């Protein structure tokens, strides 16, 4: 039995966890995760199978009762045990009305909790239906001789901020999409939600099985169309599907694909949305490319590790592919680009242990989940910068830091943050933060604050300028906050500093 523990007190979460895994039921249960409120619990529950949720009632954010209401609507098979430090019958009655299995008061008695869990395990074993959740290996093992199978991948094309707020936030939307998928899968049968891959929100993998190729093709089409239509018309958050060709389990001819290649073909099909927009795409519709756009200029720039030219050439490569509108050409160009970097990696680092090849494959898989040219460009640039940093760390780190500082200096009047600057320099926020600490000897915040204080000093020396005007010109929307920061770093308030500058100037003029 897979159990999720939810409580806003870490000690209680840990205590229940240790109680369960240290009991005689340990070999019959699995703690799939813990969460400190209802919204976090929904994310955990939406990423994989859960049989039982043990949850507190009173928690900040989404409380236990609200959690039960949402999850029981989407998946009534999940059982709940409610915990509370409040001996309040109204809570117990409300919890039971929404389908809680039992209600326990804190501190929880070990014998009582274990007894409830054991009874639930026994009941579940009698009633258990085939699980909708399988790993890739379990899906492979499930196949029967002569059965046809396929892979379907689904990804959200965009997350409109206003719509996400209307639906109650990303955790609620994630759970809603999981509910849509699971309901369609149960109704059609022979469809499994594949787990075990990188758990990235709003990305879903499915394995489908049927007795004939015709039946499987119909099931693929019905499943994708049903979910795609519901998300577009009812949820109003567009999703796309990438569908592989059907694969036969045994007795397959040389023309038929192995199941692992079916995953690749589904990824390639889903990638079509980058150029063609939201939709349902099939791997068999992607034609072989006759050319690619990875140019000799790009290859030369990679050889000398000229990051500026590399960025320019990649921008040009993506733009040419977008203008041409050919998914197959864009795919081949990406593969060619990654191969060039892989080759450079092997030459410069003498890497023959497969590390760079594995990284290249993971990178390509990640890029194939891109939903539009902008997300593809961002992911590709970040990867290129990471590769260059490994190939020529000192030079590339210096260039990234220089670009970051130049951008900060040019936008000092705005409330610049780490994420914004990292996007401009095409690296991750974590990497940029690390560079500032290690190469500049100060954090990103310390650097930008120091620049603002120095600029503020220069402006305060100008006659007639107001403190609130200076605050605005160095990126502070609140002049009182600016005053506190200025005094913290200089020992003087802005007005005091300005007056002292004026007195010093007048005294100097009198001396003259």
């Amino acid at each position: 039995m897979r159990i999720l523990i939810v409580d806003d007190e870490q000690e209680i979460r840990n205590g229940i966890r240790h109680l369960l895994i240290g009991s005689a039921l340990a070999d019959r249960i699995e703690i799939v995760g813990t969460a400190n409120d209802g919204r976090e619990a929904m994310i955990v529950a939406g990423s994989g199978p859960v049989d039982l949720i043990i949850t507190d009632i009173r928690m900040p954010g989404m409380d236990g009762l609200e959690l039960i209401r949402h999850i029981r609507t989407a998946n009534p098979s999940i059982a709940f045990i409610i915990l509370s430090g409040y001996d309040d019958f109204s809570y117990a009655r409300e919890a039971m009305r929404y389908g809680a299995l039992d209600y326990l008061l804190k501190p929880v008695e070990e014998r009582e909790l274990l007894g409830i869990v054991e009874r639930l395990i026994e009941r579940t074993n009698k009633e258990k239906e085939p699980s909708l959740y399988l790993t890739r290996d379990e899906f492979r093992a499930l196949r029967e001789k002569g059965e046809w199978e396929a892979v379907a991948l689904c990804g959200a094309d965009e997350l409109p901020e206003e719509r996400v707020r209307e639906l109650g936030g990303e955790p609620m939307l994630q759970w809603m999409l999981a509910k849509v998928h699971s309901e369609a899968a149960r109704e059609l049968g022979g469809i499994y939600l594949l787990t075990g891959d990188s758990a990235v929100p709003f990305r879903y993998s499915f394995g489908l099985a049927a007795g004939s190729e015709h039946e499987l093709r119909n099931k693929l089409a019905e499943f994708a169309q049903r979910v795609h239509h519901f998300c577009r018309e009812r949820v109003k958050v567009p999703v796309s599907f990438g569908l592989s060709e059907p694969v036969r389990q045994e007795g397959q001819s040389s023309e038929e694909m192995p199941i692992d290649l079916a995953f690749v073909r589904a990824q390639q099909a889903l990638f079509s949305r980058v150029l063609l927009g939201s939709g349902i795409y099939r791997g068999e519709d992607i034609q072989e490319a006759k050319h690619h756009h990875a140019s000799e200029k790009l290859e030369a720039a990679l050889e000398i590790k000229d990051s500026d030219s590399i960025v320019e050439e990649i921008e040009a490569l993506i733009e040419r592919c977008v203008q041409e509108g050919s998914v197959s050409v864009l795919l081949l160009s990406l593969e060619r680009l990654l191969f060039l970097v892989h080759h450079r990696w092997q030459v410069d680092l003498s890497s023959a242990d497969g590390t760079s090849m594995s990284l290249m494959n993971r990178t390509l898989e990640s890029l194939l989940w891109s939903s539009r040219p902008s997300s593809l460009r961002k992911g590709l640039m970040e990867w290129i910068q990471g590769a260059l940093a490994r190939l020529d760390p000192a030079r590339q780190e210096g260039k990234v830091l220089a670009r970051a500082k130049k951008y900060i200096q040019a936008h000092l009047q705005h409330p610049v943050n780490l994420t914004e600057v990292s996007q401009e320099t095409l690296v991750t926020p974590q990497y940029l933060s690390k560079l500032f600490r290690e190469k500049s000897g100060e954090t990103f915040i310390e650097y930008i604050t120091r620049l603002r204080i120095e600029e503020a000093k220069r402006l305060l020396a100008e006659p007639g300028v107001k403190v609130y005007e200076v605050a605005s010109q160095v990126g502070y929307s609140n002049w009182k906050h600016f005053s506190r920061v200025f005094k913290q770093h200089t020992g003087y308030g802005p007005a005091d500093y300005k007056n002292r500058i004026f007195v010093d100037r007048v005294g100097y003029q009198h001396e003259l």
Side-chain angles (χ1 to χ4, degrees), residues 267-327:
Q267 286 178 324
Q268 292 174 339
L270 181 63
F271 185 68
S272 300
R273 61 181 172 163
V274 170
L275 297 184
L276 306 180
S278 180
I280 300 171
Y281 301 100
R282 294 167 176 78
E284 55 201 304
D285 294 335
I286 299 177
Q287 304 298 318
E288 184 177 353
K290 302 301 182 183
H291 66 278
H292 60 76
H293 289 299
S295 67
E296 293 181 0
K297 287 184 179 179
L298 178 56
E299 188 169 357
L302 282 168
E303 287 178 356
I304 63 174
K305 306 175 190 65
D306 182 351
S307 59
D308 293 335
S309 295
I310 291 171
V311 168
E312 290 177 6
E313 288 300 317
I314 290 177
E315 291 278 3
L317 180 153
I318 294 175
E319 184 59 31
R320 287 195 293 269
C321 290
V322 169
Q323 293 297 324
E324 188 168 347
S326 170
V327 175

Side-chain angles (χ1 to χ4, degrees), residues 64-259:
L65 292 179
E66 190 177 357
L67 173 64
I68 295 176
R69 286 196 293 269
H70 287 305
I71 287 190
R72 293 290 289 177
T73 300
N75 194 337
S77 66
I78 294 180
F80 281 86
I81 296 175
I82 296 296
L83 308 177
S84 178
Y86 301 87
D87 188 4
D88 189 333
F89 178 71
S90 64
Y91 277 107
R93 183 174 57 190
E94 186 82 357
M96 296 304 176
R97 187 165 69 85
Y98 284 108
L101 181 67
D102 215 324
Y103 181 97
L104 300 177
L105 292 177
K106 298 177 181 178
V108 177
E109 292 189 14
E110 178 178 348
R111 184 166 58 94
E112 192 174 7
L113 176 60
L114 294 178
I116 296 172
V117 173
E118 184 173 17
R119 289 193 297 273
L120 180 60
I121 291 174
E122 292 172 355
R123 190 184 78 184
T124 302
N125 288 339
K126 293 178 182 178
E127 304 173 351
K128 192 170 184 181
E129 300 178 357
S131 175
L132 285 178
Y133 298 88
L134 296 175
T135 65
R136 282 198 194 185
D137 289 339
E138 287 171 339
F139 181 61
R140 291 188 185 95
L142 186 71
R143 295 180 294 182
E144 298 179 0
K145 183 176 180 180
E147 192 170 45
W148 287 83
E149 295 180 325
V151 172
L153 301 181
C154 176
D157 298 320
E158 59 178 317
L159 299 175
E161 290 185 13
E162 184 175 347
R163 182 57 179 159
V164 171
R165 283 196 300 271
E166 290 174 357
L167 295 172
E170 288 193 7
M172 181 63 68
L173 175 58
Q174 187 178 352
W175 181 255
M176 190 176 296
L177 295 183
K179 177 178 180 291
V180 172
H181 288 127
S182 60
E183 286 183 350
R186 282 196 180 90
E187 290 179 18
L188 294 171
I191 301 177
Y192 305 92
L193 285 75
L194 302 181
T195 63
D197 296 322
S198 54
V200 180
F202 306 110
R203 296 181 184 179
Y204 307 91
S205 302
F206 305 92
L208 294 86
S212 70
E213 181 180 5
H214 177 72
E215 180 187 354
L216 181 56
R217 287 186 180 275
N218 287 341
K219 185 180 295 188
L220 267 172
E222 174 67 18
F223 177 63
Q225 289 168 4
R226 184 182 300 189
V227 174
H228 185 266
H229 176 78
F230 188 90
C231 290
R232 186 183 68 240
E233 301 299 326
R234 301 289 296 277
V235 183
K236 300 189 184 304
V237 173
V239 301
S240 288
F241 273 87
L243 311 179
S244 76
E245 297 94 323
V247 185
R248 199 167 190 179
Q249 158 61 2
E250 291 183 9
Q252 58 189 33
S253 68
S254 59
E255 290 80 22
E256 292 169 330
M257 299 186 308
I259 192 67

Side-chain angles (χ1 to χ4, degrees), residues 455-465 470 494 497-499 501-502 505:
E455 178 64 7
K457 287 179 183 179
R458 186 187 69 78
L459 293 172
L460 288 168
E462 298 292 330
V465 70
V470 172
Y497 180 86
K498 180 177 178 58
N499 290 335
I501 289 289
F502 177 74
R505 282 184 175 175

Side-chain angles (χ1 to χ4, degrees), residues 359-395:
L359 177 60
M360 183 184 77
N361 290 334
R362 291 197 304 271
T363 300
L364 180 59
E365 181 176 346
S366 176
L367 292 175
L368 292 182
W369 280 99
S370 301
S371 59
R372 57 191 59 174
S374 59
S375 60
L376 170 62
R377 185 180 292 109
K378 181 177 182 294
L380 187 55
M381 293 302 190
E382 287 182 353
W383 175 73
I384 285 290
Q385 289 289 358
L388 288 173
R390 183 168 178 180
L391 288 168
D392 189 4
R395 181 182 177 191

